[in-house]
Amino acid sequence: MAYPPGNCGAFPLRATLVRKTKGDDAMTRNFWENCLHAWVWMTIGFGCLFSGAGVPGLDGGAGLFYWVVSGGTVNAGDFDTAGMRISVALIGAVMLGWGCAMLAVWRVSGANPAVWRGLSRAVLIWYVVDSALSVATGMPLNAVSNTLFLTLFLVPAVKLGFFSRETASRSPA
């Protein structure tokens, strides 16, 4: 009886039993693609939430977020100042645009690692700059929320091979 390489012969069926099928790989990849797709929609959702801060009465979600990441030092009254209201609304508009741009990329290329590798760099740059400024301005809990947001992106990104050597040569960025 011939045994597959690496099999000592004690368990001749071992290679057959542990071998993944193409269907398993496709199902796993599909799961991580869905996680990435959900992250894109989450980005759009947060963009809408923060954009709402520009309208009195729609600023509750953004107000709660800022209250949490400030450790309770930012309160609802802080949104009454025009500077705070427009700043948060513009952040929301940028985040909404960022999410919609990624959704457009998703619809054109799916989770193509060659494309998303470049977008991953943009996400990492956002994380470093936003988190450093959060800490520097006394809002370190925002850096913690950024880390959670980044992790929700990085896990599927790594699982989908965005940073693998195989995709590096095909990356446009």
Side-chain angles (χ1 to χ4, degrees), residues 143-168:
V144 173
S145 73
N146 289 348
T147 302
L148 175 62
F149 192 72
L150 177 70
T151 301
L152 291 173
F153 172 77
L154 282 181
V155 171
V158 168
K159 295 291 189 178
L160 290 168
F162 295 175
F163 306 107
S164 70
R165 291 182 184 202
E166 294 84 38
T167 61

Side-chain angles (χ1 to χ4, degrees), residues 16-157:
T16 306
L17 294 174
V18 298
R19 185 182 311 145
K20 290 183 178 179
T21 65
K22 289 184 181 182
D24 290 339
D25 290 340
M27 192 165 53
T28 300
R29 180 163 180 83
N30 190 45
F31 171 78
W32 292 115
E33 286 177 352
N34 286 334
C35 289
L36 178 65
H37 195 203
W39 182 87
V40 168
W41 278 105
M42 186 175 68
T43 304
I44 292 169
F46 274 108
C48 291
L49 177 86
F50 293 130
S51 293
V55 179
L58 295 180
D59 56 4
L64 177 62
F65 176 83
Y66 278 95
W67 180 78
V68 170
V69 300
S70 73
T73 61
V74 173
N75 61 46
D78 293 332
F79 280 89
D80 291 337
T81 63
M84 178 70 161
R85 190 170 297 283
I86 188 65
S87 295
V88 177
L90 291 177
I91 288 168
V94 170
M95 193 167 195
L96 178 59
W98 186 35
C100 288
M102 286 195 251
L103 182 60
V105 169
W106 175 268
R107 288 184 173 163
V108 170
S109 69
N112 183 335
V115 174
W116 280 88
R117 184 180 183 93
L119 288 173
S120 297
R121 289 185 185 119
V123 173
L124 292 171
I125 290 167
W126 158 80
Y127 173 77
V128 169
V129 172
D130 193 287
S131 296
L133 291 172
S134 295
V135 171
T137 59
M139 301 276 191
L141 289 177
N142 190 56
V144 173
S145 73
N146 289 348
T147 302
L148 175 62
F149 192 72
L150 177 70
T151 301
L152 291 173
F153 172 77
L154 282 181
V155 171

